[in-house]
């Protein structure tokens, strides 16, 4: 599924993300979002509208925010290892 592919990409880049200087961290989230969106068929970052129950794409800014959050999760444990 899409979530599994997303999580695998995050896992693949997490150690390099944690180790790199702050100014370079943005490139990792962009790389992951671009890779998801360039799939065939294109991957999307979806959210369900609570009223209509329809799914919509959250757009690049929120997709990048979600990806950065995923990359940060568990980062302190990685730093200690």
């Amino acid at each position: 599924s899409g979530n599994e592919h997303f999580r695998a990409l995050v896992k693949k880049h997490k150690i390099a993300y944690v180790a790199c200087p702050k100014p370079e961290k943005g490139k990792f989230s962009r790389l992951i979002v671009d890779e998801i969106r360039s799939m065939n068929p294109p991957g999307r970052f979806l959210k369900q509208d609570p009223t209509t129950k329809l799914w919509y794409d959250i757009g690049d800014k929120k997709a990048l925010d979600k990806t950065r959050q995923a990359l940060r999760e568990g980062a302190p444990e990685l730093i200690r290892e």
Side-chain angles (χ1 to χ4, degrees), residues 9-10 12-35 64 67-68 71:
L9 283 173
V10 168
K12 176 178 149 189
H13 293 290
K14 188 174 278 199
I15 292 173
Y17 173 85
V18 168
C20 82
K22 191 168 185 176
E24 293 179 29
K25 290 191 185 293
K27 73 180 181 186
F28 289 96
S29 49
R30 171 51 66 190
L31 189 95
I32 292 169
V33 170
D34 286 350
E35 187 166 335
L64 289 165
T67 304
R68 278 191 289 270
L71 284 163

Side-chain angles (χ1 to χ4, degrees), residues 40-73:
N40 188 12
R44 298 174 293 166
F45 292 83
L46 301 175
K47 184 170 182 166
Q48 191 174 32
D49 183 298
T51 311
T52 65
K53 304 293 184 216
L54 296 174
W55 293 88
Y56 64 94
D57 193 300
I58 62 174
D60 267 4
K61 185 185 181 323
K62 284 189 177 164
L64 289 165
D65 290 344
K66 175 183 169 56
T67 304
R68 278 191 289 270
Q69 177 64 42
L71 284 163
R72 282 194 305 268
E73 282 172 5

